[in-house]
Amino acid sequence: MSYDITFKVRVADTDKYIDVGNCEANITWNVRKIIELSTGLPWINEENNGLCVEVIPHIQKGYDELCAHPERYKQYEAKNGWGTVEGARRFFGDILNAWNDYVQYQVPEIIAVTTFWIT
C-alpha cells in the first residue's frame, strides 16, 4: 500500500471536493514513522489533512530535516528496503515542487482554501 497526495478544493455549498493542481507524489506506507517524526504531523490516510498553507511548511521542515540529518531517521527505514529516508526526502520534494507549481498559477483566494489529502 502507498500514500498518494492530492490537493483539493471544496465545491461551494457541498461536501464534495475536486482535485486541483498536479501532485503525483506517492510513497509506501513503510515510511510513516519517518514522515511523522520529521514533519511533526500526524499522517492520516484516506482523509483531508488540513489546509495546504498550514501543512506545506511542515513538509518543508521535514524535507530540510531529512537533508540535514538523515542519520536520525535511518533506524525507521523498512528492513525489506521498501521505505527509506532517501525515498521520503524525494517524496517531500515531489510534494513541494507540485505545490510551488500550483501556487505560481493560482489566485490567492483559491490557494487559501486548498486542502491536503492523503489517499
Side-chain angles (χ1 to χ4, degrees):
M1 302 299 277
S2 64
Y3 295 121
D4 296 299
I5 304 304
T6 307
F7 305 143
K8 296 184 181 194
V9 173
R10 189 175 66 81
V11 177
D13 301 322
T14 73
D15 290 329
K16 305 292 183 200
Y17 286 79
I18 58 169
D19 294 356
V20 295
N22 190 28
C23 187
E24 297 180 5
N26 172 283
I27 197 162
T28 177
W29 287 1
N30 294 343
V31 296
R32 181 185 184 116
K33 193 73 165 173
I34 295 170
I35 290 170
E36 289 179 334
L37 291 172
S38 65
T39 64
L41 291 173
W43 205 250
I44 307 168
N45 199 25
E46 305 288 328
E47 291 199 27
N48 177 350
N49 279 244
L51 294 171
C52 286
V53 294
E54 295 173 358
V55 173
I56 295 296
H58 290 275
I59 301 295
Q60 182 67 59
K61 173 188 169 280
Y63 178 84
D64 294 343
E65 178 68 12
L66 295 180
C67 288
H69 306 287
E71 71 284 352
R72 292 180 184 169
Y73 302 91
K74 287 283 189 185
Q75 64 185 318
Y76 303 109
E77 291 185 327
K79 303 295 183 234
N80 65 6
W82 290 89
T84 64
V85 171
E86 178 60 27
R89 188 198 59 76
R90 219 175 10 258
F91 174 64
F92 288 161
D94 290 346
I95 295 168
L96 294 169
N97 287 336
W99 179 250
N100 290 334
D101 288 346
Y102 176 69
V103 299
Q104 181 176 357
Y105 298 106
Q106 194 52 262
V107 296
E109 295 85 1
I110 301 298
I111 293 168
V113 296
T114 302
T115 54
F116 187 91
W117 287 75
I118 303 170
T119 59

